[in-house]
Amino acid sequence: MSKKSKTNPLVTHLTIAFAALALLWLSTDDKDVLVLGNSLVLVYIVYALASRFALNKKKNNHTQK
């Protein structure tokens, strides 16, 4: 009764992003670096979401034909 567990890639991307934010917030005193780091992590999250939506849309278009 072994069921193979497959991790959602979006969960992996969000976990990496949250870990990066936590590390950034704990280790940075300069506000400019904090703002830049937060912006980069936000771009990473938006990229991860967009890539999942594009993959889903491509998969749905392929199955409808």
Side-chain angles (χ1 to χ4, degrees), residues 1-50:
M1 252 195 183
S2 169
K3 192 173 185 180
K4 213 174 193 183
S5 173
K6 186 174 181 182
T7 305
N8 188 349
L10 188 57
V11 173
T12 305
H13 286 294
L14 289 177
T15 303
I16 292 169
F18 290 142
L21 280 176
L23 181 66
L24 181 69
W25 291 341
L26 289 173
S27 65
T28 303
D29 291 333
D30 187 20
K31 286 185 181 181
D32 293 334
V33 174
L34 192 61
V35 169
L36 180 65
N38 286 339
S39 300
L40 290 174
V41 171
L42 181 62
V43 167
Y44 178 74
I45 291 172
V46 169
Y47 167 75
L49 287 171

